[in-house]
Amino acid sequence: MMKKYVFAFEEGNKEMKASLGGKGANLAEMKKIGLPVPDGFTITTEACNQYYVDGKKISDEIKTQILDYLLKLEEKTGKKLGDYNDPLLVSVRSGAVFSMPGMMDTVLNLGLNDQSVEGLAKLTDNQRFAYDCYRRFIQMFGDVVLEIPKYKFDRVLDGQKEKQGYELDTQLTVEDFTHIIKEYKQIVKSEKGFDFPMDPKEQMMLAIEAVFGSWNNDRARVYRNYNDIPHDLGTAVNIQSMVFGNMGNTSGTGVAFTRNPSTGENLLFGEFLINAQGEDVVAGIRTPQKIDELKDALPEVYEQFINVANKLESHYKDMQDIEFTVERSKLYMLQTRTGKRTAFAAVKVAVDMVADGVITKEEALLRVQPSQLDQLLHPMFSPDALKDTTPIAKGLPASPGAASGRVYFHSEDVARQKENNVECILVRTETSPEDIEGMVAANGILTARGGMTSHAAVVARGMGKCCVAGCSEIFVDEDEKYFRVGEETFKEGDWISLDGNTGAVYKDKLKTVEVALTGDFALLLSWADEIRTLGIRTNADTPNDAGIAVKFGAEGIGLCRTEHMFFSEERILNVRRMILSGTLQERLEALKLLLPYQKEDFIGIFKAMGDKPVTVRLLDPPLHEFVPHKDEEIRELAKDLGQTYEFVKYKIDNLLETNPMLGHRGCRLAMTYPEIYEMQCIAIFEAAIHCKKDLGIDVKPEIMIPLVGHLKEFTELKGLVKKVADQIIGETDITLDYKVGTMIEVPRAALIADEIAKEAEFFSFGTNDLTQMTLGFSRDDSGKFLPEYLKKNVFDKDPFETIDQNGVGKLITMACDLGKQTRPDIKLGICGEHGGEPKSIEFCHKAGLNYVSCSPYRVPIARLAAAHAAIKNKR
Ligand code: ADP
Ligand code: MG
Ligand code: MG
């Protein structure tokens, strides 16, 4: 049997997204539930993939099916494509499986040519309308299909408006359009060397090919990379008969969300334009009206629209993002999809829908992406900073958050600056899909034009990026690279700050404050806690960080790095004294000076954590990291230590290693200088005893030995820990529950995990080092080649960001299994950077770890990600 590559809207439904794409599947679904959708058909994603298999050609088989469905559409509508008297006009619309706003371009009014435009004029008795459609068609077709730069057409249109002294497009007359069309055709001829195609079927096939081709354009690829969408899905193409929003004052076009996509408030939210077509609203050509105003403009249409919106939301059980057109007071639905929303809105909508009994708690949890929560944890401008300053301008609060940065006016400039770690704000008159790279790289986005549903607003919300749109008080000159507001001019590189919650734009860089975990957010996370099985700990080195993490829901510390305590000013000298000491005796004396500090540190941490477990990692980094390397600093240090410069210099030079990552660090330090760990253990256990005995805190210290690769390393150092512990605890009459375990970060440790588990009470996977050593990629040097590896898809994702499951992950799973063989109740955790990354968290859940540990601000993200993992991997 022949493969079916084309489906009429009435043949599809919302489950068929994989082949019909999101747009096509939802058009079919809307048709199914009786909503007014103009007729049409969808060419499948399989046809797109076949197009690439066939060397970028639409095969005869597929062409035949398309023409067959065109015929059916002509029969249904009673019109014929390109007919001189009553032409069928269609839109050619791309539609990928996942909605990709602005990625693929749509061509409207296809089927018009020099003859059919006359037919349309006569039929509608509206010459102006017909010629407006025709010029739009040539312009869109020229841009999207023929790839002629858009500005060439814009220049003609703007030129004509200027010549005639018009403000608005709506003032253009038939004569103007006739002239514009002539010029447009001239552009096509001179750019392409052939005439604008007059045969409607040829127009259609070219447009379909262009949509297929656009699947692989740069901006589509950038968007897919950013959103983790596979590159081999292909896009569907929808051919739909046109309805016209530009037929006068009872016609119009608009977009709406069934709830507010910024705040989640349960109120219809959207914009429309009277007498306009297609993307006029989104493109910010005229300032659109609020959807409420449709009530006055076209009351019956408004009422019908409200009903449709309600019907759609209850049918899909989620907030919908709707595109519609009104043709002479008749409403048509042109698109619906799950609405993109801010994290704040996502949480509110999910919680509200549970309260209304529409969805379950589990569904609600899955509605919020863990990575999205980042937005809610982002700082806001401090009220104090705001008190002393007034906005220089105000735009629309298009996407929340607070952002400061230096202004840049071109996407490429932002991307380039970002590579040098310059914080940027992208400022433009309006954004377009070409700007996607800069939008990704910018801290925030400011546009002078466009509404709440403009490209900038929609894309920024999707990315969770702060955006102020439609800030009409500013004038942007992208060519000269400045923007002006009132008397003031901001040049490239100047600082500004944006408040995406209020739309305010400020001069300079403003101070920010932290946010709290309350309300709907706290409620949703409490549901996550009910469902998840994975424990969530935090990586914290100070009482302050530990306190923040506990507030965010951390159930313990998975990694407390003791070396961070060594750097503060009053200690570093003694640390250096210890490192550079000439004899054991000197070293012991220096350590003795450090002991009280370390003890204070641990008391602070134990107090912050209460009865929650605290994993303390004994000293890990190579010692040269603690000493100065500049000559004058070395001289100063020598003076402070009462040593000669030559001696100190000699000692420091001796610490330098060719490959410190694989050098004298971790437990190897203690194999040579056991007194260092001994001092740390004294500090830990004295602190613990103090907390338990004097403060009544049921502390649970877990001592972790880093970088173990051999059982004998572990047994020797465990012996040292036990000796100190037994002695200190022995001097008191209390019992202290403590554990001694190891990090698994050297591949050899993973290989002999069964041996190590005989002695170690817990494993914590240090996936940063484990990744470095398993891959043989130095984390500090991989920047030179890793980007190329990612581009070439050697790795889908940066293995330092998300666990390389096939490689490093295999070692982890194996080590878990081996460990459990010799110690069935061994505690397993992860403390690498990966512990806060949702995909890696799901992996940890599946691998059967007891907990993940991540930085304090990632704790809420990890709680939700762990709940997702539990829901998705239910047995
Ligand atoms: P995008 O994927 O960029 O949203 P669409 O395919 O949805 O592109 O097309 C953009 C806009 O063009 C629609 O919102 C709608 O206003 C207009 N449009 C598309 N097809 C038709 C049609 N058949 N009749 C009238 N307007 C249409
Ligand atoms: Mg578009
Ligand atoms: Mg659309």
Side-chain angles (χ1 to χ4, degrees), residues 52 69 144 158 177 304 415 476 479 550 612 647 652 775 808 830 872:
Y52 283 104
Y69 271 86
V144 176
D158 291 342
F177 284 135
Q304 199 192 346
V476 184
D479 293 337
V550 168
K612 298 180 174 67
F647 175 78
I652 286 178
L775 272 53
V808 176
I830 172 179
K872 286 184 196 157

Side-chain angles (χ1 to χ4, degrees), residues 374-626:
D374 221 15
Q375 280 178 55
L376 295 180
L377 302 163
H378 271 322
M380 307 179 299
F381 289 127
S382 91
D384 280 346
L386 291 182
K387 230 177 21 213
D388 304 333
T389 175
T390 44
I392 50 167
K394 203 140 189 212
L396 300 169
S399 181
S404 294
R406 296 175 184 278
V407 300
Y408 285 92
F409 299 90
H410 295 274
S411 177
E412 314 84 73
D413 293 334
V414 172
R416 192 158 348 105
Q417 293 299 327
K418 171 79 183 187
E419 279 176 16
N420 300 321
N421 293 319
V422 176
E423 317 236 32
C424 302
I425 302 280
L426 176 66
V427 181
R428 294 196 59 83
T429 304
E430 58 198 301
T431 62
S432 74
E434 283 87 23
D435 294 319
I436 192 95
E437 200 190 354
M439 298 174 79
V440 170
N443 284 359
I445 298 147
L446 171 63
T447 66
R449 270 199 248 161
M452 290 295 279
T453 48
S454 65
H455 178 266
V458 171
V459 175
R461 278 200 295 275
M463 290 179 183
K465 195 145 282 190
C466 168
C467 173
V468 173
C471 184
S472 51
E473 294 164 56
I474 68 168
F475 167 79
V476 184
D477 189 329
E478 281 127 1
D479 293 337
E480 296 299 319
K481 302 187 176 181
Y482 73 88
F483 80 85
R484 205 173 52 221
V485 48
E487 304 280 80
E488 218 160 347
T489 302
F490 291 79
K491 294 189 301 293
E492 193 175 81
D494 289 345
W495 280 93
I496 61 166
S497 297
L498 304 179
D499 188 334
N501 302 322
T502 62
V505 182
Y506 300 93
K507 214 169 135 159
D508 301 327
K509 185 179 180 171
L510 295 187
K511 260 241 294 290
T512 50
V513 288
E514 312 306 340
V515 288
L517 204 162
T518 50
D520 290 340
F521 189 16
L523 182 61
L524 189 85
L525 286 180
S526 75
W527 298 342
D529 294 343
E530 287 166 18
I531 283 168
R532 69 182 162 88
T533 53
L534 205 53
I536 310 295
R537 295 197 189 183
T538 188
N539 298 350
D541 311 331
T542 64
N544 184 46
D545 281 0
I548 293 172
V550 168
K551 265 196 232 133
F552 282 157
E555 299 160 310
I557 287 184
L559 175 64
C560 173
R561 302 176 180 88
T562 48
E563 62 269 18
H564 283 191
M565 305 166 171
F566 281 11
F567 281 104
S568 70
E569 217 169 315
E570 72 269 24
R571 307 173 186 196
I572 189 72
L573 182 67
N574 287 326
V575 173
R576 290 170 174 168
R577 190 189 306 279
M578 182 270 286
I579 292 171
L580 302 172
S581 53
T583 65
L584 175 61
Q585 200 50 42
E586 276 173 44
R587 191 158 43 248
L588 286 174
E589 268 157 36
L591 283 166
K592 215 182 270 166
L593 294 173
L594 285 172
L595 178 62
Y597 291 119
Q598 282 260 284
K599 189 172 156 184
E600 276 313 306
D601 291 330
F602 291 124
I603 291 173
I605 297 235
F606 289 143
K607 279 211 265 195
M609 296 308 291
D611 58 3
K612 298 180 174 67
V614 174
T615 306
V616 180
R617 180 180 72 184
L618 300 177
L619 194 66
D620 181 58
L623 297 180
H624 77 85
E625 284 188 12
F626 298 99

Side-chain angles (χ1 to χ4, degrees), residues 322-393:
I322 304 168
E323 298 177 6
F324 66 96
T325 282
V326 180
E327 178 180 317
R328 292 194 276 208
S329 295
K330 184 160 172 21
L331 174 70
Y332 292 95
M333 302 309 295
L334 291 173
Q335 191 171 344
T336 193
R337 62 185 164 204
T338 304
K340 288 199 188 303
R341 62 203 81 178
T342 62
F344 193 85
V347 170
K348 176 155 172 59
V349 170
V351 169
D352 284 353
M353 286 194 163
V354 171
D356 291 343
V358 179
I359 56 173
T360 65
K361 285 182 189 176
E362 291 195 2
E363 284 169 319
L365 287 164
L366 292 177
R367 291 276 171 89
V368 183
Q369 287 316 304
S371 52
Q372 257 188 318
L373 295 184
D374 221 15
Q375 280 178 55
L376 295 180
L377 302 163
H378 271 322
M380 307 179 299
F381 289 127
S382 91
D384 280 346
L386 291 182
K387 230 177 21 213
D388 304 333
T389 175
T390 44
I392 50 167

